[in-house]
């Protein structure tokens, strides 16, 4: 793998919440960040949108930064020319992204990486937008991107994948690679699978919305913050580990899978979900809940330095 | 609700790992704990099995204890007579538990609670073992019970449910109530649902075992340690909250549910799961992994005091 530049040049396309979080993250970790957004007024609000993420990063990783710089760019060319990594955060419209990629491809360095933050689209959807698809990777962050370390990666060029991963690691992210392009990447597939059963339990009357959330946060969620799901079954197998678990409890796990539910988001179920989260919020606004979430994430991330996850 | 006794009397039936964890927890929080186990030699090893949990509790909640006492009981009567709560941790055999309950019921105080730690069985399976089923609750801890706060509760007597919950809260647990008896309670249903998709991704070649675990621990797992799954979608809906999320993304969520997989634990999949956790363990023994897990859980629990979960 090529050596990383001492001051990586990162282009951020799209200056909304995700773009602002990426910008704050890369600046904190010493990159030269160039931000472009074609929407009128988007750039002028960027510094305000970066303020909270920058302050939070100073709490999470005070030793790291802030060391970099942000340049607001009037043109796409200004942002993209010479960039090592171009992180695209455009709206989730295929035609819009394809049109943008054609412009970017004409301006980017030959060996640069165009990375899409897309959540809903896949690499196979996006890559027809480029003459050379090897330049494209999907690099999906998990919200909020400057706090949650995961970046899910898929692409076809080993050299660019390795370079992008090194740039994300340099910014204290944990890149995780897919072997095959998949809708929902890894994390949203897991989240969807879990939420399907959570909604089923609400629909079936097994437990209330807020009870299910409390069970998750005080039970498996807490454990999954330190131990993966596969690894949990490895430890659940006693001295025999995963092999012992599968030999003894594999059949009962398959029966349990067969007994899980598939809910319908009927009007009644939707009403119960809405009422449930409102009971759980106890009057707190979305903004207040986000602040509480971020503070708890910051404390959890600091705890990882004391005792890292398994 | 009746007032709690200043020194609750807790009977622990079964002195294996789960019983030892319960005993350590209740002693740390000032209860008089009486332990009984009919297996030869089980009681003599209890103090050794309690040593690590007791030391860990001193780290998690140094202000709380240790204040209680442990009494090793030669007879079931000694353990159960006068107990406020009888926590049963017998092997997962229905006939064995039914036989035990008949003995316990003859010895326990009229208003005491018999709580089963059962994971695999349900209240409906167990309650035919008693003359008065109102005395029984299921109270399932999540492993390791002295660290992970969740206790999942089901029963039919509101007064006993409330009293049991108060006793668990007093021991720094988070009791969560089911409205309806269900196999797998809440947490193991969620864990099963998530693992089904995790195994499917391995089977389908989307990602390796260790990549999926890394994605979980650095993404949704971390977030679910501070925010429930329902609440995460409430925040994912922007200013519109859960209602906005359902209106805009409900249909795509239902399509995503339909696209999730159901794997088969074939020999090839089992071999890949075993190989995957072994790569992930990088030579660490089960005991070493458990120690790393516990240390990370302790750090995460201490972080919650600084900034509690949402």
């Amino acid at each position: 793998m090529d050596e990383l530049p001492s001051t990586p040049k990162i282009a951020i396309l799209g200056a909304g919440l995700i773009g602002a979080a990426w910008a704050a993250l890369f600046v904190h970790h010493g990159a030269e960040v160039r931000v472009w957004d074609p929407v009128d007024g988007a750039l002028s609000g960027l510094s305000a949108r970066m303020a909270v993420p920058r302050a939070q990063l100073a709490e999470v990783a005070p030793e790291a930064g802030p060391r970099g710089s942000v340049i607001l760019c009037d043109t796409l060319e200004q942002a993209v020319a010479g960039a090592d990594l171009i992180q695209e955060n455009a709206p989730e419209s295929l035609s819009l992204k394809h049109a943008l990629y054609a412009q970017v491809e004409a301006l980017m360095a030959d060996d640069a990486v165009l990375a899409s933050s897309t959540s809903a689209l896949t690499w196979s959807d996006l890559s027809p937008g480029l003459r050379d698809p090897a330049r494209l990777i999907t690099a999906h962050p998990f919200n909020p991107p400057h706090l949650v370390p995961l970046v899910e990666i898929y692409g076809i060029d080993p050299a660019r994948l390795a370079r992008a991963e090194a740039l994300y690691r340099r910014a204290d992210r944990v890149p995780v690679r897919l072997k095959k392009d998949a809708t929902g990447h890894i994390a949203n597939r897991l989240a969807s699978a879990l939420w399907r059963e959570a909604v089923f339990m609400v629909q079936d009357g097994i437990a209330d919305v807020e009870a299910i959330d409390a069970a998750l946060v005080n039970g498996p969620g807490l454990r999954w913050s330190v131990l993966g799901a596969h690894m949990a079954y490895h430890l659940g197998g006693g001295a025999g580990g995963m092999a012992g678990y599968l030999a003894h409890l594999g059949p009962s796990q398959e029966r349990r899978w067969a007994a899980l539910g598939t809910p319908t988001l009927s009007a009644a179920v939707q009403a119960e979900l809405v009422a449930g989260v409102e009971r759980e919020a106890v009057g707190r606004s979305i903004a207040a809940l986000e602040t509480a979430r971020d503070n708890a994430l910051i404390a959890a991330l600091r705890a990882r330095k004391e005792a890292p996850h398994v």
Side-chain angles (χ1 to χ4, degrees), chain A:
Chain A
M1 207 196 76
D2 344 46
E3 225 168 277
L4 281 189
S6 64
T7 302
K9 289 185 177 142
I10 312 285
I12 304 288
L13 310 186
L17 285 175
I18 301 293
W22 276 123
L25 179 77
F26 282 117
V27 167
H28 187 76
H29 290 279
E32 182 187 305
V33 178
R34 293 169 182 259
V35 187
W36 172 82
D37 193 311
V39 175
D40 254 9
L43 283 182
S44 61
L46 176 66
S47 152
R49 278 192 294 284
M50 284 176 67
V52 168
R54 290 190 75 158
Q56 292 175 332
L57 285 160
E59 280 188 74
V60 171
E63 72 293 351
R67 295 180 294 134
S69 56
V70 191
I71 301 162
L72 307 185
C73 299
D74 292 330
T75 67
L76 181 62
E77 180 171 12
Q78 242 186 303
V80 165
D84 300 297
L85 175 73
I86 300 143
Q87 187 79 36
E88 170 270 302
N89 316 282
E92 295 283 53
S93 149
L94 197 53
S95 58
L96 188 153
K97 289 195 196 247
H98 280 178
L100 176 61
Y101 291 0
Q103 290 178 271
V104 171
E105 196 172 23
L107 299 166
M108 69 192 279
D110 274 352
D111 62 348
V113 182
L114 171 57
S116 176
S117 299
T118 189
S119 172
L121 302 168
T122 63
W123 186 90
S124 309
D125 295 328
L126 296 170
S127 57
L130 290 100
R131 275 184 297 105
D132 179 7
R135 293 173 152 182
L136 179 72
I137 68 170
T138 47
H140 176 242
F142 209 68
N143 202 45
H146 60 292
L147 295 180
V148 179
L150 176 63
V151 184
E152 304 178 274
I153 311 266
Y154 181 76
I156 58 167
D157 175 12
R160 282 195 182 78
L161 285 166
R163 198 142 15 90
E165 285 174 344
L167 287 165
Y168 293 122
R169 280 202 196 93
R170 192 183 176 287
D172 212 13
R173 300 300 87 189
V174 177
V176 168
R177 206 185 282 199
L178 281 81
K179 296 193 294 182
K180 192 167 116 175
D181 197 21
T183 304
H185 314 284
I186 298 169
N188 277 336
R189 295 179 74 99
L190 295 176
S192 236
L194 181 130
W195 198 47
R196 175 166 63 176
E197 185 60 19
V199 173
F200 173 75
M201 286 192 275
V202 171
Q203 176 183 296
D204 198 49
I206 292 173
D208 286 328
V209 166
E210 61 272 38
I212 294 165
D213 275 3
L216 179 58
V217 166
N218 292 290
L222 174 64
R223 208 168 63 182
W224 286 326
S225 76
V226 308
L227 192 76
H230 295 296
M231 191 49 90
Y233 287 105
H234 187 50
L235 299 194
M242 175 67 92
Y245 177 83
L246 289 168
H248 292 105
L249 294 170
S252 73
Q253 186 65 251
E254 283 188 319
R255 281 197 300 277
R256 189 172 284 172
W257 287 343
L260 295 174
T262 299
T264 307
L265 289 171
S266 66
V269 168
Q270 294 200 24
E272 187 46 38
L273 293 173
V274 171
V277 293
E278 276 168 10
R279 287 191 303 269
E280 199 177 347
V282 210
R284 291 172 294 175
S285 68
I286 300 277
L289 292 164
E290 281 174 343
T291 301
R293 174 198 65 193
D294 290 356
N295 289 340
L297 283 173
I298 290 165
L301 289 165
R302 291 164 61 104
R304 287 186 172 197
K305 295 184 186 176
E306 195 186 311
H309 58 76
V310 178

